[in-house]
Amino acid sequence: MIELCNITLAFGSRQLIVDGSAHFRCGDMVALLGRNGTGKSTLLRAIASLGKLQGGSVLVGGDELSTIAPYDLARRIAFVNTERVDVEALSAYDLVAIGRSPYTDWAGRLTSHDREVVERSLRLAGVESLAERSVDTLSDGEYQRVMIARALAQETPAILLDEPTSFLDLPNRYALCQLLLDLAHNQNKCILFSTHELDIALSLADSIALVDTPHLHHLPTEEMVKSGNIERLFNSDNIRFDAPTASIKMR
C-alpha cells in the first residue's frame, strides 16, 4: 500500500534518514519506533504529503506521491495527530463527519450514504455513545477514539497516527492499540503509528519500522527483536529483550 523507495529525510540541516526503504501493507499494523528527535513525526508527515523529502520517493497504492491530487490522496491516506480541536458546540458526530469531506459537495452536505459511513465509523471505533457529546468535554482517550472514527469515515486504505497513545494511562494505551490492531486485521487497513511505548509495540504490532539515524529498518516484530537493532538503539542495563515472545522485561 505504502512504499518508501530510497528516501532521504532531513530536518533543517540534519539528515535523519538516508537511502531508506520500506513497504507497509494493508492488513498490517506497523509501529514506528526511534529515539527522540530522530524524525518519526517528520516521516509520517512526509508520507501524508504534509512535509517534503530530500530524496527518493513515496508510492501510495502504486502511484508516486507527488503525482496524486490532494482530493485523491485524502481518499487513500488519513492522518491523525495529537493536537486537539476543542471547538465549542462541535459534537463528536460532527467531528467524525468532517472525515467525509473528500466525498461531499462544495458545501459539505452529507448524503444518506455519508451518514451511514459516519455512524459505522463511530461504531467501529467504539464511540457511538459519544456522538452527541461536545468535543471539548471528551477525555483524551475518548478524543483519540473519535479522531480514529473520523479517519475511518474517510474510508482510506491507510491510516497514519502520530503518537496516538500520548497523554493516555496504561490501560487506555493498550485498548487504543488493540483497536488499531483490530482495524488492521479485520478492516484490512494499513496502520502505521509512531510510539515510544516499546512494550505495546513489541507485543501487538505485526512489524516494526525503526528509525536508527541515518538508517530505516523494517522487519516483522520478532525478526526485528532478534536482529538486535532495538536493543542496541534503546540500550539500557534495566531492559532485557526476549526474542521468542517479541517482548521486553524489566530486570
Side-chain angles (χ1 to χ4, degrees):
M1 172 59 202
I2 297 174
E3 188 171 359
L4 310 182
C5 305
N6 307 112
I7 66 167
T8 295
L9 183 69
F11 185 80
S13 60
R14 184 185 174 212
Q15 286 192 321
L16 304 171
I17 298 173
V18 176
D19 198 29
S21 296
H23 188 193
F24 310 128
R25 304 175 301 176
C26 288
D28 283 353
M29 182 173 82
V30 184
L32 177 60
L33 300 178
R35 299 186 71 92
N36 288 335
T38 55
K40 298 185 298 296
S41 296
T42 304
L43 176 58
L44 287 176
R45 292 181 65 84
I47 296 173
S49 197
L50 299 173
K52 293 184 178 181
L53 295 173
Q54 283 62 53
S57 61
V58 176
L59 303 181
V60 180
D63 297 321
E64 213 285 324
L65 182 62
S66 63
T67 69
I68 303 173
Y71 74 88
D72 188 10
L73 185 61
R75 297 185 181 195
R76 302 192 194 193
I77 292 179
F79 181 71
V80 179
N81 61 28
T82 56
E83 296 178 9
R84 290 191 63 131
V85 181
D86 287 335
V87 180
E88 188 176 351
L90 179 69
S91 70
Y93 183 97
D94 291 336
L95 180 56
V96 173
I98 292 173
R100 296 303 298 164
S101 58
Y103 306 93
T104 58
D105 61 19
W106 64 271
R109 286 184 286 257
L110 299 178
T111 65
S112 59
H113 173 69
D114 291 323
R115 295 187 181 281
E116 289 174 4
V117 172
V118 170
E119 291 167 5
R120 182 174 69 247
S121 300
L122 287 162
R123 184 171 63 255
L124 286 172
V127 289
E128 284 178 290
S129 62
L130 305 178
E132 301 307 317
R133 286 264 303 274
S134 176
V135 171
D136 59 1
T137 69
L138 301 177
S139 70
D140 288 332
E142 291 170 337
Y143 180 81
Q144 282 298 324
R145 282 181 172 262
V146 168
M147 291 300 289
I148 290 172
R150 188 183 76 166
L152 288 172
Q154 279 185 241
E155 293 190 301
T156 59
I159 301 177
L160 312 182
L161 306 100
D162 190 14
E163 297 284 354
T165 59
S166 293
F167 314 117
L168 302 183
D169 58 24
L170 187 59
N172 277 318
R173 292 174 194 170
Y174 270 95
L176 184 66
C177 289
Q178 186 61 59
L179 168 62
L180 296 178
L181 186 64
D182 290 342
L183 293 175
H185 291 180
N186 298 327
Q187 301 298 319
N188 199 36
K189 301 289 186 181
C190 172
I191 304 290
L192 174 62
F193 73 105
S194 63
T195 183
H196 289 289
E197 310 290 344
L198 282 175
D199 54 341
I200 294 176
L202 296 179
S203 62
L204 294 180
D206 296 299
S207 64
I208 303 292
L210 183 68
V211 181
D212 181 10
T213 301
H215 306 292
L216 174 65
H217 308 287
H218 181 224
L219 291 169
T221 301
E222 189 168 337
E223 290 183 29
M224 181 65 80
V225 174
K226 289 179 179 178
S227 74
N229 288 326
I230 295 179
E231 186 171 13
R232 176 181 49 76
L233 187 62
F234 296 97
N235 184 38
S236 169
D237 292 336
N238 297 318
I239 297 178
R240 174 169 57 87
F241 290 77
D242 289 339
T245 57
S247 64
I248 58 174
K249 295 182 179 180
M250 302 304 294
R251 283 197 174 113

